[in-house]
Amino acid sequence: MLRFAVRRLLGAIAVLFAISVLVFLIFNVVPATNPAQRIAGKNATPQLIKNVEKEWGFDKSLPEQYWTQMKLIFTGEATSYSLAHINIDERILEGIPVTASLCIGAAIIWLAFGILLGYISAMNAGGLVDRFVTVIALIGISMPVFWLASIFLYYLTYKVELFPASGYEPLSNPGKWASHLILPWISLAVLFAGFYSRVLRSSMLDVMNEDYVRTARAKGLSQRRVTVRHVLRNSLIPIVTLFGLDFGVLIGGGAIITESLFNLEGVGYFTAEALGQQDFPSIMAVTIFGAFFIVLFNTFVDIAYAYLDPRIRLGTSAV
Amino acid sequence: MSDGASTGTAGGPLLEVTDLVKHFPIKSGLLVDREVDQVRAVDGISFYVNKGETLGLVGESGSGKSTACRAVLQLLKPTSGSVKFEGREIAGLSRRELRPLRREMQMIFQDPYASLNPRKRIGQIVGDQLKIQKVASGKELRTQVEGLLERVGLSPEHYNRFPHEFSGGQRQRIGIARALALGPKLVFCDEPVSALDVSIQAQIVNLLDDLQDEMGLTYVFVAHDIGVVRHISDRIAVMNHGKIVETGDADQVCEHPRDDYTKKLLAAVPIPDPRESRARRERTTAG
Amino acid sequence: MSAATEAAPAQPGAGGGPLLAVENLRVGFATEDGRVQAVDGVSFELEPGEVLAIVGESGSGKSVTAQTVIGLTRSPNSHIEGSVRLSGEELTTQSESQLQKVRGSQIAMIFQDPMTSLNPVYTVGKQIVEAIRAHDSSIGKKAAHARAAELLGAVGIADSERRVDDYPHEFSGGMRQRAMIAMGLALEPSVLIADEPTTALDVTIQAQILHLIQDLNRSRGLATILITHDLGVVAEVADRVLVMYAGKVVEQGTLDDIFYDPQHPYTWGLLGSLTRLDQPRPHRLPQISGSPPSLLRLPKGCAFRPRCPHEFAKCKEVPGLEARLPADPNHCDRCWLEPEQKARLREIEGRIGLEEPA
Ligand SMILES: Nc1ncnc2c1ncn2[C@@H]1O[C@H](COP(=O)(O)OP(=O)(O)OP(=O)(O)O)[C@@H](O)[C@H]1O
Ligand SMILES: Nc1ncnc2c1ncn2[C@@H]1O[C@H](COP(=O)(O)OP(=O)(O)OP(=O)(O)O)[C@@H](O)[C@H]1O
Ligand code: SF4
Ligand SMILES: [Mg+2]
Ligand SMILES: [Mg+2]
């Protein structure tokens, strides 16, 4: 298991390197316009453009450019010119607790509800309960996040004033922290909960037809034990995959809409800002940062996978 | 010297395997692989198969029969040893060099269900090889595939069906049609009838027999059922623990086995005749 | 009857009747193309210590019959009629939770496909332990684990102490099949249903497993339903035989009845297709031509009619399962031919067969 984990982590590092090169090439080589010009902003003086050119290494060879830029981004020296000269890395680091609070809370909610609903649905497949849950899940899936968030904001904070309007409160005051996050959590979780419940339902229905489930029943295990230990456990494998991807995307700055609408100044919020300003260094940093999390969580998923399915673990160590 | 005799080995065997070894290393180590042990799946076997004949391969489960077939076909890279096909060494050839040989050597797999892609139509499954090797395409491809289906006792109208619409015996025929598509000279049959009931077994065995007569095929036939192996084989090789312990004429091996393991194997074959099996049981309990 | 039944200590069923009685069992599945009547009126009885073999065409409903006995085919798309009684107690009407007590502990089942019948995510040992502890939670985990290792040893897995902690994919096909058998025997059931228990095994291990089952038949009165396509295995261990075709029993009788006096042409075909080591090999294996009928569109009358070389006018009516030999009321079949005709028609080149090979 350890051997497997170490190998996967090394693999992840290689992938990250490849991604950073790719991002670098897309941002620097592909566009036709002068990259320094774009970094400096629309109203930049020729002098500023010169400085930028030097700072970002555009006067050097491509590998050197890559090196300079990555150094800027990873050592926390990259500054944004369009966004009031803020330090990009600091801005991202500040955003992480906010985004993490949002994503972890939402993830707990969506996993709990997704699994619960999927389970209920699969256990009653074809019945009334199943149809009811299906409708709920489909509503959840088809409700746009911005719409749901706006409805929440309008009715529950503005009209009824049940929840504080928006913004983030640090965890040092847990009550306040939670009350500020509860609506964003729900808005973000609804879509995923609905989606996961569908995936789990179909996965469970597949597993229920597996021969080994029949074996489990033939052993005289209780219905409950069969469904939990044999059906549910084996059905969670696709859910783990999805979760790794989704969670990586969100924490890497993908919760753009939720963060923006609820005024949570997390990574997604910053991404939105950067996109709005077409701020080239920030977009590049956020992209690499996002990729980092996606790869990281995929690696976790692989490791979790290996835990859930011994064939994968042992298969790799036998090769 | 060898002008005109480029096909060479007029008298020699079609396939000649010498000291073939296939070990599976068991590796360990956190970052760098260290070989800690190995599974000696095939441990130095030698045999030959003449053109137009059938070699039966029997032996204990796990004795390396499937591994041997794969290693001969170069589907697994042999650890060492030589494999000569039509007098030419093929062990160690690159993939590219092997490609033309794939047309001449084919394998029919044990499990008819698992080896057919459930989402592909029968016509595609059988025709894929022809397409990949650029033997035929379009209308001609279809005619050829339909011809093959007919030859294995299916009808051309099965062309557009999916594997799940067929019974076990029919699926095995599809596997055979696929293996025959490129007109191979040598076919490895890895337990092609184990999962089938006797009457369907008989259909498949007869079909293989007919195809051998019509097309001059050569078979290596692996099975647990020694009765079936004897029926179809000219010679039989018995494997145990990665080695061939006995080879010989089929009837000879079955009636006068020399090796102890072969004797044990034959003594365990159930006799489909209640009186005789009862008598045998009494003999063994008495002795 | 046979040696095995005599040797069995008569274990009286609760009501004095047979240990297991299946009566007029019918199982249908609703499918998209219509209703598949997989089992159509199967009846049989099983006494303690007896081995009943079920043979028949692939898809003839052998596995479905066996699984229905312990209620495993219950599902929204299945329709089950008839009765299954264990020591006089009706099982078809029992609830799932009542059946749980029967499954595994009184009737154990070994499934056909060893490759897929074990859960890939748990070790083999854990899955056996689970079976043991499901019925008796007073057994500690350690004790159950030791018992699992012991059972694996009993079915001939070498080094079972260590292999008990292997995952199923680390076992070869034959080893998995033996693990299934160990699991089936774990709770000392009174009935064992074994669905093709030896297909993945070579003959030496097969013989070992068959001996194990036979020992249990004799020593404990274990009653066994053995489903197999290997008539050699049947000849070795069975006391009575059911031959199934297209969801129906087409012939039933003692082992000797079926092998030496078979009444149904399909049975002749099966016997004729055998390859025998102790006889000179025929030039061609006799086969039953044609393919099994679709259960969605069964032929009218005798289901074997399209493949039967002896069919005649009467065959358009469905033949009942009756004893047609006055001397033997327990030997029944579903063929309209007269017994004398049968005795003549089944002789092919000095042995039993359906027709001369083409
Ligand atoms: N990829 C592999 N890695 C490690 N060991 C392997 C691998 N493939 C096969 N083996 C081992 O090699 C040995 C021979 O396996 P093989 O499948 O050739 O046996 P076989 O004679 O075909 O048996 P069977 O009759 O059960 O099909 C077995 O002990 C098996 O566990
Ligand atoms: N759940 C199901 N839904 C629909 N049809 C089914 C279902 N289960 C089995 N059948 C059908 O019932 C028939 C009998 O199947 P069964 O598995 O009992 O055959 P069998 O006699 O055991 O054959 P084999 O020797 O191939 O194992 C088959 O035609 C099969 O397709
Ligand atoms: S009833 Fe007729 S068709 Fe059916 S098996 Fe007998 S002779 Fe053949
Ligand atoms: Mg094999
Ligand atoms: Mg079956």
Side-chain angles (χ1 to χ4, degrees):
Chain A
M1 189 76 203
L2 180 64
R3 178 179 142 94
F4 181 85
V6 169
R7 295 196 158 207
R8 271 302 134 92
L9 283 171
L10 285 182
I13 290 170
V15 170
L16 271 178
F17 173 71
I19 289 176
S20 71
V21 171
L22 206 66
V23 170
F24 164 78
L25 290 176
I26 289 172
F27 278 88
N28 289 282
V29 180
V30 179
T33 52
N34 177 4
Q37 168 101 54
R38 275 181 295 132
I39 292 178
K42 290 182 197 91
N43 317 316
T45 59
Q47 182 55 41
L48 185 59
I49 294 179
K50 267 248 150 48
N51 288 350
V52 170
E53 228 163 58
K54 194 157 175 52
E55 188 188 0
W56 288 78
F58 290 124
D59 45 356
K60 301 190 192 121
S61 68
L62 268 186
E64 277 174 297
Q65 261 184 53
Y66 170 80
W67 179 244
T68 323
Q69 296 189 8
M70 288 304 135
K71 213 162 64 183
L72 278 177
I73 287 173
F74 281 104
T75 54
E77 283 164 17
T79 357
S80 161
Y81 292 89
S82 349
L83 293 171
H85 289 261
I86 56 161
N87 180 305
I88 295 170
D89 289 344
E90 257 171 39
R91 184 64 185 73
I92 291 179
L93 284 179
E94 277 167 22
I96 287 181
V98 183
T99 299
S101 301
L102 172 68
C103 295
I104 293 173
I108 291 173
I109 296 177
W110 93 58
L111 281 180
F113 278 88
I115 291 175
L116 188 70
L117 292 181
Y119 179 84
I120 293 175
S121 214
M123 292 317 292
N124 299 289
L128 268 182
V129 179
D130 179 31
R131 265 174 248 172
F132 180 69
V133 173
T134 302
V135 169
I136 295 201
L138 290 180
I139 291 176
I141 293 171
S142 44
M143 222 157 19
V145 176
F146 66 85
W147 182 82
L148 187 65
S150 312
I151 296 278
F152 277 164
L153 280 169
Y154 183 73
Y155 284 102
L156 299 182
T157 66
Y158 175 71
K159 278 258 165 149
V160 190
E161 296 189 14
L162 203 58
F163 294 99
S166 53
Y168 174 76
E169 289 291 330
L171 189 54
S172 47
N173 182 346
K176 227 170 164 186
W177 173 79
S179 71
H180 275 253
L181 281 169
I182 193 125
L183 290 182
W185 281 341
I186 296 175
S187 322
L188 190 57
V190 162
L191 164 75
F192 289 111
F195 185 58
Y196 280 34
S197 75
R198 302 309 294 165
V199 174
L200 184 66
R201 176 185 185 271
S202 77
S203 160
M204 278 181 72
L205 290 181
D206 282 348
V207 173
M208 271 181 215
N209 284 325
E210 292 281 352
D211 288 349
Y212 56 77
V213 172
R214 196 181 52 195
T215 308
R217 288 176 67 200
K219 286 196 282 198
L221 303 186
S222 68
Q223 189 74 37
R224 205 188 148 79
R225 201 174 161 91
V226 172
T227 38
V228 175
R229 300 253 317 169
H230 292 268
V231 180
L232 186 60
R233 153 97 195 228
N234 292 50
S235 314
L236 283 179
I237 292 174
I239 295 283
V240 168
T241 320
L242 277 178
F243 180 71
L245 280 172
D246 288 338
F247 194 74
V249 167
L250 288 183
I251 217 158
I256 297 178
I257 297 170
T258 316
E259 289 188 11
S260 305
L261 280 172
F262 287 98
N263 227 358
L264 299 166
E265 300 201 1
V267 183
Y269 187 91
F270 180 54
T271 309
E273 261 185 337
L275 285 171
Q277 293 295 322
Q278 299 205 344
D279 181 41
F280 169 82
S282 305
I283 297 176
M284 188 156 123
V286 170
T287 311
I288 291 181
F289 176 82
F292 175 77
F293 273 99
I294 293 169
V295 171
L296 185 72
F297 278 92
N298 260 308
T299 310
F300 289 161
V301 164
D302 278 350
I303 295 170
Y305 230 85
Y307 171 74
L308 285 175
D309 189 344
R311 279 168 301 183
I312 297 169
R313 180 192 336 153
L314 297 164
T316 319
S317 60
V319 172
Chain B
M1 255 311 278
S2 61
D3 279 0
S6 57
T7 39
T9 55
L14 182 69
L15 177 77
E16 190 171 12
V17 175
T18 320
D19 284 331
L20 186 73
V21 175
K22 176 69 201 176
H23 290 173
F24 292 104
I26 302 173
K27 288 178 183 159
S28 176
L30 206 53
L31 292 180
V32 185
D33 282 328
R34 275 178 305 118
E35 194 176 310
V36 290
D37 202 354
Q38 42 189 220
V39 177
R40 296 161 178 271
V42 174
D43 206 12
I45 59 171
S46 306
F47 62 89
Y48 65 89
V49 195
N50 290 323
K51 188 161 171 14
E53 101 178 328
T54 301
L55 176 73
L57 199 54
V58 297
E60 192 166 35
S61 134
S63 59
K65 304 180 295 290
S66 304
T67 309
C69 294
R70 285 165 190 271
V72 169
L73 279 170
Q74 307 296 310
L75 295 172
L76 277 174
K77 202 172 169 317
T79 311
S80 67
S82 133
V83 178
K84 285 200 176 124
F85 182 71
E86 297 187 315
R88 183 172 154 222
E89 181 62 51
I90 61 166
L93 289 190
S94 72
R95 245 170 210 233
R96 277 253 317 278
E97 294 167 308
L98 280 171
R99 196 172 310 147
L101 282 167
R102 294 259 176 267
R103 294 182 60 167
E104 324 237 293
M105 298 194 287
Q106 285 286 328
M107 185 149 170
I108 300 171
F109 293 95
Q110 173 171 8
D111 188 347
Y113 304 79
S115 61
L116 302 177
N117 184 341
R119 278 184 254 286
K120 280 196 176 171
R121 294 176 194 278
I122 301 313
Q124 273 174 295
I125 291 176
V126 176
D128 258 3
Q129 285 285 325
L130 291 169
K131 228 165 156 181
I132 292 169
Q133 298 265 4
K134 302 207 174 63
V135 176
S137 61
K139 228 181 162 145
E140 201 200 322
L141 178 72
R142 177 152 187 153
T143 333
Q144 279 201 19
V145 171
E146 285 178 350
L148 276 164
L149 291 178
E150 268 189 300
R151 183 158 233 172
V152 298
L154 297 168
S155 59
E157 78 208 31
H158 290 137
Y159 189 90
N160 274 324
R161 303 253 189 101
F162 289 99
H164 72 89
E165 298 173 52
F166 291 88
S167 77
Q170 289 174 320
R171 286 178 204 178
Q172 198 53 277
R173 287 159 189 264
I174 297 166
I176 295 173
R178 176 174 59 182
L180 296 180
L182 291 167
K185 293 182 177 148
L186 177 62
V187 182
F188 284 80
C189 314
D190 191 6
E191 313 221 18
V193 294
S194 299
L196 307 173
D197 57 284
V198 273
S199 70
I200 299 175
Q201 260 184 23
Q203 287 180 3
I204 299 293
V205 167
N206 287 338
L207 173 67
L208 289 172
D209 255 348
D210 294 345
L211 292 169
Q212 184 161 47
D213 292 345
E214 279 171 41
M215 305 165 65
L217 292 177
T218 307
Y219 297 125
V220 174
F221 190 95
V222 181
H224 280 312
D225 187 332
I226 297 171
V228 172
V229 173
R230 182 183 76 148
H231 178 81
I232 198 165
S233 308
D234 300 298
R235 286 183 306 118
I236 292 182
V238 184
M239 274 189 84
N240 191 18
H241 295 307
K243 294 202 161 71
I244 290 183
V245 294
E246 177 163 2
T247 5
D249 173 76
D251 288 329
Q252 185 75 24
V253 170
C254 291
E255 278 151 31
H256 309 286
R258 279 172 288 121
D259 181 79
D260 283 345
Y261 177 73
T262 317
K263 285 180 192 156
K264 203 172 119 197
L265 204 60
L266 287 167
V269 174
I271 306 171
D273 186 328
R275 278 174 206 147
E276 278 177 40
S277 71
R278 234 171 274 151
R280 180 167 77 174
R281 227 172 311 153
E282 269 146 32
R283 274 202 307 278
T284 46
T285 42
Chain C
M1 250 179 286
S2 79
T5 353
E6 280 161 20
Q11 205 184 62
L19 180 57
L20 183 73
V22 171
E23 228 178 278
N24 202 17
L25 192 68
R26 291 167 51 84
V27 185
F29 294 101
T31 69
E32 293 189 353
D33 305 321
R35 177 152 152 175
V36 170
Q37 193 67 45
V39 177
D40 195 4
V42 168
S43 307
F44 59 84
E45 293 183 351
L46 192 66
E47 303 289 344
E50 188 180 31
V51 180
L52 174 71
I54 304 184
V55 298
E57 193 87 22
S58 156
S60 59
K62 306 182 294 290
S63 302
V64 171
T65 303
Q67 287 169 26
T68 307
V69 168
I70 50 173
L72 290 179
T73 49
R74 290 181 183 180
S75 86
N77 78 329
S78 69
H79 182 81
I80 300 168
E81 291 168 64
S83 132
V84 177
R85 284 188 310 274
L86 179 70
S87 311
E89 223 176 299
E90 181 63 48
L91 296 185
T92 48
T93 52
Q94 287 197 355
S95 69
E96 275 288 300
S97 56
Q98 284 172 308
L99 271 181
Q100 275 158 26
K101 297 194 187 76
V102 175
R103 292 178 189 154
S105 70
Q106 293 177 55
I107 306 180
M109 179 143 187
I110 298 166
F111 292 99
Q112 186 165 10
D113 191 344
M115 300 313 248
T116 54
S117 290
L118 290 165
N119 191 332
V121 311
Y122 298 115
T123 63
V124 173
K126 209 163 180 176
Q127 297 185 55
I128 300 178
V129 167
E130 196 180 29
I132 296 174
R133 284 173 41 93
H135 294 279
D136 186 357
S137 47
S138 70
I139 301 177
K141 279 204 173 131
K142 270 236 176 68
H145 188 268
R147 173 102 179 97
E150 189 189 315
L151 284 161
L152 286 181
V155 292
I157 289 182
D159 202 6
S160 61
E161 300 282 314
R162 188 172 61 80
R163 306 291 318 237
V164 67
D165 292 320
D166 277 2
Y167 286 94
H169 74 271
E170 296 173 275
F171 273 28
S172 79
M175 288 165 76
R176 285 184 224 183
Q177 200 154 41
R178 283 179 272 169
M180 286 296 296
I181 295 169
M183 195 185 291
L185 297 175
L187 290 153
E188 312 205 333
S190 45
V191 179
L192 177 70
I193 304 177
D195 193 352
E196 311 268 9
T198 58
T199 32
L201 304 178
D202 65 78
V203 284
T204 50
I205 297 168
Q206 169 172 291
Q208 194 184 335
I209 297 293
L210 295 179
H211 282 151
L212 179 72
I213 292 177
Q214 263 178 330
D215 275 351
L216 293 171
N217 293 140
R218 299 211 180 106
S219 62
R220 286 210 350 248
L222 173 74
T224 307
I225 298 176
L226 179 73
I227 299 171
T228 178
H229 66 245
D230 189 335
L231 290 172
V233 171
V234 174
E236 294 269 340
V237 298
D239 298 314
R240 282 191 304 127
V241 183
L242 292 189
V243 183
M244 284 186 70
Y245 190 83
K248 289 194 169 77
V249 174
V250 293
E251 181 162 5
Q252 72 183 47
T254 63
L255 188 59
D256 287 8
D257 287 345
I258 298 295
F259 275 84
Y260 302 122
D261 190 16
Q263 298 295 304
H264 197 280
Y266 175 67
T267 317
W268 308 345
L270 283 185
L271 291 167
S273 305
L274 283 174
T275 47
R276 292 191 51 165
L277 274 181
D278 53 350
Q279 285 175 3
R281 50 177 159 171
H283 172 62
R284 240 177 116 69
L285 283 179
Q287 62 185 48
I288 305 176
S289 52
S291 49
S294 154
L295 292 176
L296 289 164
R297 285 176 298 278
L298 279 183
K300 245 183 79 190
C302 172
F304 191 55
R305 195 160 56 99
R307 302 171 75 185
C308 182
H310 309 304
E311 76 138 324
F312 60 109
K314 184 125 197 215
C315 304
K316 291 206 178 66
E317 291 166 43
V318 180
L321 184 66
E322 288 160 22
R324 292 163 205 268
L325 294 161
D328 193 351
N330 290 320
H331 186 181
C332 306
D333 69 273
R334 279 184 199 271
C335 174
W336 286 122
L337 292 171
E338 294 299 324
E340 308 81 60
Q341 282 177 297
K342 289 173 176 170
R344 188 163 35 81
L345 290 171
R346 72 189 179 205
E347 288 294 324
I348 305 285
E349 293 171 353
R351 43 184 283 194
I352 287 170
L354 183 59
E355 60 187 323
E356 281 182 37

